[in-house]
Amino acid sequence: MAEITASMVKELREKTDAGMMDCKAALNETDGDMEAAIDLLRKKGLAKAAKKAGRVAAEGLVGIAAAGPKAVVVELNSETDFVARNDAFQALVRNTAGVALKVGSDVETIKSASYPGGGTVQEAIANLVATIGENMSLRRAASLQVSAGVVSSYLHNAVGDGLGKIGVIVALESTGNAEALATIGKQVAMHVAAANPLALDSASVDPAVIARERNVLAEKAKATGKPDNVIEKIVESGLKTFFKEVCLVDQPFIHDPGKTVLQAVNEAARTAGAPIVLKGFVRYALGEGIEKETTDFAAEVAAAAGG
């Protein structure tokens, strides 16, 4: 039986808004499996849908580089936020994004590519590690490109040109007016940063995610005692609601909640003078999905003192 800690209960409560005792019971029942505990609480009607974002537990910066119909976003991690504020580290992230714009988003290709001023990107990272004395790494990179149109970007919690804690790129394919495309593109990128959609549209949602959601909805509906044909309708209705919540095109537009993102883009197309197609988006939040080991500072001091 896994040990259920207070921090695990706290995390589950933050992810589900369920009661403290319900969270503890769910973790005990699932032997500490966080995702299974979330599903269990939802099946019992005690929790809302699981939040997409993982625990943010790494420092560093997200960098973006763009040139017309192409943009890239990269994430470089450091051990402390102090290093992320260092000019040399910021230059490293900015230059690495520039390299990625030229060579593509494969991390190993970026690492082996030429770095401005000499050497490779990996050597530049290693040199800064040696200088500052703190571990750093290029964690991930992604790119978007269109044949005609723009790839817009937005950085939240920006700390400098092309650098921030949340980075978004959005691809808009269109032959319309460039200024109009840039305006709606920036607005959609800001929406993605705030709303954190799971996918572009329902067809883009991972089938495994849909299956999991369908299972939760079905188990919850069965508890009402309704017949199977009614349960199926409840499940389908629930899935439609789920897609509206997690799919970019169906979400209420943060700049005008009375319309969806797709409706806003279609309206912008009239201004641009040509149809606009949302081709995709990438959203990087610094450190998402990385769990950093937490330490008890008081215990460390006591141990060092022999206490």
Side-chain angles (χ1 to χ4, degrees):
M1 176 67 73
E3 179 186 0
I4 308 304
T5 65
S7 63
M8 291 169 67
V9 175
K10 179 175 181 290
E11 179 189 349
L12 183 57
R13 188 181 187 193
E14 289 175 348
K15 286 189 172 186
T16 63
D17 285 347
M20 192 72 76
M21 295 308 295
D22 290 325
C23 289
K24 185 175 182 180
L27 285 166
N28 279 320
E29 192 170 336
T30 59
D31 198 26
D33 187 318
M34 188 64 64
E35 294 303 311
I38 290 172
D39 284 354
L40 180 62
L41 288 170
R42 294 191 62 211
K43 289 174 182 178
K44 292 181 177 180
L46 298 173
K48 63 183 182 181
K51 297 174 184 176
K52 182 190 173 208
R55 282 176 291 179
V56 177
E59 301 299 339
L61 287 170
V62 172
I64 289 178
K70 182 179 181 180
V72 297
V73 55
V74 302
E75 178 183 350
L76 270 79
N77 296 129
S78 60
E79 293 181 34
T80 65
D81 184 59
F82 177 77
V83 168
R85 297 195 299 269
N86 180 284
D87 288 343
F89 181 78
Q90 292 185 8
L92 175 66
V93 179
R94 189 178 289 112
N95 287 334
T96 300
V99 170
L101 188 63
K102 296 177 182 177
V103 304
S105 59
D106 179 74
V107 170
E108 295 307 316
T109 300
I110 296 170
K111 287 180 179 179
S112 62
S114 298
Y115 187 80
T120 66
V121 170
Q122 184 58 44
E123 289 170 344
I125 294 173
N127 290 337
L128 193 56
V129 169
T131 300
I132 294 180
E134 183 172 309
N135 190 36
M136 303 168 199
S137 64
L138 172 61
R139 181 189 177 201
R140 54 181 175 166
S143 65
L144 290 174
Q145 186 169 5
V146 291
S147 57
V150 299
V151 180
S152 296
S153 63
Y154 171 70
L155 280 157
H156 188 64
N157 289 336
V159 298
D161 184 31
L163 306 172
K165 297 300 179 74
I166 297 178
V168 176
I169 55 177
V170 175
L172 302 175
E173 194 166 78
S174 177
T175 57
N177 176 269
E179 186 176 345
L181 292 177
T183 297
I184 187 62
K186 180 68 174 289
Q187 290 177 342
V188 173
M190 292 175 71
H191 171 96
V192 171
N196 194 13
L198 186 66
L200 179 66
D201 51 31
S202 59
S204 306
V205 179
D206 186 339
V209 172
I210 297 175
R212 176 180 174 181
E213 188 67 19
R214 182 183 292 277
N215 178 57
V216 169
L217 290 167
E219 290 297 320
K220 192 174 179 181
K222 286 177 183 176
T224 65
K226 291 183 171 59
D228 289 346
N229 64 320
V230 175
I231 289 175
E232 182 59 29
K233 291 179 180 178
I234 293 174
V235 170
E236 292 306 316
S237 176
L239 281 176
K240 288 180 181 178
T241 299
F242 173 70
F243 290 141
K244 288 179 180 179
E245 293 173 351
V246 305
C247 296
L248 174 60
V249 296
D250 295 322
Q251 289 180 327
F253 194 39
I254 61 167
H255 300 280
D256 186 353
K259 63 187 69 168
T260 65
V261 171
L262 182 59
Q263 288 171 335
V265 170
N266 287 339
E267 285 186 11
R270 291 196 287 271
T271 302
I276 301 174
V277 179
L278 268 172
K279 299 297 289 185
F281 71 90
V282 178
R283 180 188 187 274
Y284 278 1
L286 178 66
E288 62 188 347
I290 299 177
E291 184 177 356
K292 185 168 63 177
E293 181 181 0
T294 57
T295 58
D296 185 332
F297 182 68
E300 283 187 359
V301 172

